[in-house]
Amino acid sequence: MEYIKTKIEGVWVLEPKVFNDQRGYFFEAFKQAEFDEHIGHHVDFIQDNESKSSYGVLRGLHYQRGGFSQAKLVRVIKGKVVDVAVDLRKSSPTFGKYVMVELSDENKRQFFIPRGFAHGFLVLSEEAIFTYKVDNVYAPQCEASIRWNDETIGVEWPIDVKEVLLSDKDQNKGLAFKDAEVFE
């Protein structure tokens, strides 16, 4: 596995070594000791989640507040998405900045997002199956989101906004970045 630093400290892109032959392919998707060594600390993933979405679905920008913040290791097992991590760590030099990476079943990349970030993704293929490991349980009382189209953050989503499909929650309940609860 190759670990690629991004422009935001703590956020990584992971590229597996894929072994292809006439039967198909094989790769190691996760190895705890290697992961911890490259990330620089132990992350105890306790749950795996999966979602299926169609073209134009945008999920995000979500995060959990306080002690229920989550680190995530995400990947796409079918289709293609752009994935975004927004730095909500007030003491960070990249506070309010984001990193975007394309994840697909073809590139088999993974994206590590530490605690203290909002996260979202947009489906670019007809359908996508998205999976992620988390290091903390979901706590509905600590759930929060920032508007997907917040002007301060300025995420440059790669499709026409008229094609974006949102849940009611993402359409109507996301906060402006300036009003969001951030991490110290």
Side-chain angles (χ1 to χ4, degrees):
M1 186 82 67
E2 181 180 357
Y3 289 76
I4 304 163
K5 287 184 177 187
T6 68
K7 66 183 180 180
I8 296 181
E9 185 67 33
V11 180
W12 294 79
V13 175
L14 287 65
E15 284 191 355
K17 293 177 183 161
V18 181
F19 301 93
N20 292 292
D21 65 22
Q22 71 278 6
R23 301 168 296 165
Y25 67 84
F26 170 86
F27 69 93
E28 290 180 346
F30 183 75
K31 194 184 258 183
Q32 185 76 56
E34 180 183 281
F35 179 83
D36 291 349
E37 178 184 338
H38 282 88
I39 298 305
H41 59 91
H42 178 71
V43 179
D44 188 18
F45 292 113
I46 62 166
Q47 182 175 322
D48 285 6
N49 301 318
E50 180 175 303
S51 69
K52 178 180 174 184
S53 304
S54 57
Y55 176 80
V57 167
L58 192 151
R59 296 179 186 261
L61 300 163
H62 304 149
Y63 65 102
Q64 294 213 142
R65 299 182 311 271
F68 287 97
S69 180
Q70 294 177 324
K72 298 176 181 177
L73 180 61
V74 303
R75 70 186 180 119
V76 170
I77 57 176
K78 179 182 179 188
K80 179 168 65 171
V81 308
V82 288
D83 199 278
V84 172
V86 179
D87 193 346
L88 299 181
R89 302 169 298 176
K90 194 168 187 157
S91 61
S92 169
T94 52
F95 175 65
K97 305 293 183 205
Y98 71 92
V99 173
M100 179 183 285
V101 63
E102 184 178 292
L103 305 174
S104 72
D105 57 1
E106 289 183 14
N107 69 25
K108 298 180 182 19
R109 287 179 157 183
Q110 296 180 66
F111 195 36
F112 174 66
I113 304 154
R115 291 182 180 203
F117 284 76
H119 169 254
F121 68 90
L122 171 67
V123 178
L124 301 178
S125 54
E126 184 177 323
E127 176 179 272
I129 298 176
F130 187 88
T131 141
Y132 53 105
K133 297 178 173 307
V134 294
D135 74 337
N136 206 351
V137 295
Y138 169 69
Q141 72 278 12
C142 294
E143 177 181 61
S145 66
I146 296 171
R147 286 186 204 121
W148 65 279
N149 59 352
D150 180 85
E151 291 180 9
T152 302
I153 298 170
V155 175
E156 294 183 25
W157 300 104
I159 68 172
D160 189 304
V161 296
K162 294 178 195 127
E163 297 180 282
V164 172
L165 301 172
L166 300 163
S167 69
D168 178 60
K169 178 175 68 175
D170 288 342
Q171 179 69 44
N172 299 309
K173 298 194 175 142
L175 298 173
F177 176 74
K178 67 179 180 61
D179 298 325
E181 184 176 326
V182 296
F183 298 86
E184 293 304 318

